[in-house]
Amino acid sequence: SLIQPHSGKTPEIRKRLHTFLRQGVLVRDPSPSIYLLQIQTGDSKSLGFVGSVQTGRLSTGEIKAHEDVENNRVETFKEYLKITQLNAEPVVLCHPPNKELEDICYQFTNSLPFAEFKRKEIDYKLWRIDHPILIDRINKALKSIRSLYIADGHHRCFSSLSYSKEDKTKDQFLAILLPHDQLQIDHFCRMFSTLNEMRIDHFVAKLSNNFKVKRLSSYKAPQSILEFSMYIGGSWFWLTSKRSDTTTPTLNRIPTNIIYEDIAKPLLSIQNLQKDKRIAYRHYENPSQQIKEDVDKSEYVLGIQHYPIPFKDIIATVEDSDLLPPKSTHFRPKPLHGMLIFDFLTQ
């Protein structure tokens, strides 16, 4: 693999790149290029441009983060960049729909792709754009967009920014830029391994201070940002927050922040959501089954599923100069790692 900074084999990655190039597994672009990538799952299609983005746009606020980062992880990714000199996992940036970019996409998707393949029931198509006039047209359209938002890859973004401050020649990172209406937002379930020495009935009773609590006969998925599904002690519970869905600032009605402010912090004494080992974040494809399984086998004592956070609330939180709790969003689609690689040594 070319993209495992935690594997302990980072020094070998550069050697592996040269092996792949020699074997023809990877091929260098003969000239500077931007790629158009289409990812299709069933009837759902996403189209985005893949290329290098200036780290300075993070410093100026043109690229906006919605989650905080953990310094240790930023340092780990920065060391990976310094040793390998490679970006092999694109950051996902999103933006409002743009007519000029849509026209360019239409122009290319009506032509044969540079490459196409299928992996795990997902279809990928790539178009290479290497004509200077077209590249300039795309860059001008992207520069006209006031704000770009990090959908996936906060730590990769900020590790690149940190590295660029040490070496000003390394001032770019690999990214895919997608219209936000082509992204799907899912959730990470909050899984807890503690009740803070409370009995289950006492814990459930204390929840009624901030929630309307109802025991369910079977699982029911949350239908709004103030609704939560909780599994504990062999039973499902339906929690409805007593907060208003119009409360301001926006962070006060973000589901993951409600779980933190009204459950994790006051009842379970969890203060640091990034470092406390008593909370885990799991993206379950089948939460009704997987939450129950993990709690029933005593891996956790309770699990909570929240409603996916609407994109407008993410943007509003960022514009309020607030940040969401960690692992608040799970965005799709995600480009394949290592499919396109940005090599610092050839820029």
Side-chain angles (χ1 to χ4, degrees):
S1 172
L2 293 171
I3 45 98
Q4 293 183 348
H6 301 287
S7 67
K9 299 180 180 179
T10 303
E12 301 297 318
I13 290 175
R14 189 83 208 175
K15 295 178 184 177
R16 198 169 296 129
L17 171 73
H18 291 299
T19 300
F20 286 165
L21 286 168
R22 190 170 60 251
Q23 294 173 343
V25 175
L26 294 173
V27 179
R28 289 195 189 277
D29 278 337
S31 58
S33 304
I34 292 175
Y35 281 84
L36 177 63
L37 172 62
Q38 177 179 289
I39 304 174
Q40 181 171 355
T41 306
D43 294 329
S44 176
K45 288 183 184 179
S46 297
L47 272 166
F49 292 96
V50 184
S52 61
V53 176
Q54 296 288 328
T55 56
R57 299 185 74 176
L58 272 164
S59 300
T60 60
E62 295 172 77
I63 297 176
K64 300 178 184 294
H66 69 262
E67 290 182 4
D68 204 357
V69 293
E70 187 178 342
N71 290 335
N72 288 343
R73 290 194 68 198
V74 170
E75 287 300 310
T76 297
F77 280 107
K78 183 174 72 174
E79 286 304 307
Y80 164 84
L81 293 175
K82 290 169 70 173
I83 294 170
T84 66
Q85 297 292 298
L86 296 173
N87 262 182
E89 187 176 2
V91 171
V92 180
L93 301 176
C94 60
H95 57 80
N98 181 280
K99 181 64 166 58
E100 175 73 353
L101 294 176
E102 288 175 6
D103 289 344
I104 297 171
C105 287
Y106 182 79
Q107 176 182 338
F108 277 92
T109 53
N110 281 307
S111 63
L112 289 174
F114 168 76
E116 60 181 314
F117 54 93
K118 190 183 190 82
R119 186 172 185 268
K120 294 183 178 179
E121 303 306 313
I122 301 175
D123 293 301
Y124 298 87
K125 290 184 179 180
L126 270 175
W127 290 266
R128 185 165 66 193
I129 304 168
D130 55 6
H131 196 288
I133 293 177
L134 268 175
I135 291 176
D136 186 57
R137 184 181 166 194
I138 293 167
N139 283 332
K140 283 181 178 177
L142 290 171
K143 286 177 181 177
S144 72
I145 297 171
R146 185 174 65 89
S147 297
L148 298 170
Y149 299 90
I150 304 171
D152 183 69
H154 283 75
H155 288 90
R156 278 169 276 142
C157 251
F158 283 95
S159 63
S160 295
L161 177 62
S162 179
Y163 186 27
S164 71
K165 291 177 179 177
E166 294 182 9
D167 184 343
K168 296 189 185 303
T169 66
K170 307 301 191 301
D171 61 348
Q172 300 175 66
F173 62 91
L174 185 66
I176 178 169
L177 292 90
L178 293 157
H180 64 66
D181 59 0
Q182 293 185 23
L183 287 170
Q184 301 167 31
I185 306 175
D186 207 349
H187 58 269
F188 281 93
C189 295
R190 269 57 183 153
M191 306 299 292
F192 297 91
S193 58
T194 180
L195 286 184
N196 206 19
E197 300 185 353
M198 280 185 282
R199 294 203 322 251
I200 289 176
D201 57 337
H202 286 179
F203 173 76
V204 172
K206 284 182 175 290
L207 287 173
S208 62
N209 291 331
N210 293 310
F211 300 88
K212 296 177 183 177
V213 182
K214 179 183 178 182
R215 186 190 293 265
L216 300 172
S217 58
S218 60
Y219 166 82
K220 179 182 177 184
Q223 304 297 308
S224 75
I225 59 172
L226 298 182
E227 296 174 344
F228 305 84
S229 301
M230 181 182 75
Y231 185 77
I232 184 173
S235 296
W236 284 102
F237 289 83
W238 184 258
L239 309 181
T240 305
S241 174
K242 294 180 180 179
R243 300 188 185 204
S244 167
D245 60 5
T246 58
T247 187
T248 56
T250 309
L251 184 61
N252 288 341
R253 62 176 185 265
I254 294 292
T256 52
N257 193 58
I258 293 174
I259 295 173
Y260 172 59
E261 293 285 352
D262 293 346
I263 300 176
K265 188 176 179 181
L267 301 184
L268 304 178
S269 299
I270 293 174
Q271 306 290 332
N272 190 321
L273 292 175
Q274 290 183 331
K275 295 184 178 180
D276 199 309
K277 301 299 183 184
R278 296 173 297 168
I279 181 172
Y281 309 98
R282 298 287 181 263
H283 177 255
Y284 293 132
E285 296 291 345
N286 186 349
S288 63
Q289 177 182 330
Q290 291 170 282
I291 291 175
K292 183 179 185 301
E293 285 178 353
D294 284 351
V295 173
D296 285 348
K297 66 186 181 185
S298 300
E299 187 170 341
Y300 305 103
V301 293
L302 78 142
I304 300 175
Q305 178 189 356
H306 65 85
Y307 187 77
I309 302 169
F311 190 78
K312 64 180 179 61
D313 285 351
I314 296 173
I315 299 304
T317 302
V318 172
E319 297 303 329
D320 288 342
S321 299
D322 285 323
L323 293 171
L324 305 183
K327 297 295 184 183
S328 286
T329 55
H330 183 277
F331 283 94
R332 290 176 176 167
K334 295 179 185 289
L336 289 176
H337 304 162
M339 180 172 60
L340 295 169
I341 298 169
F342 178 60
D343 187 351
F344 286 125
L345 299 184
T346 59
Q347 63 175 297

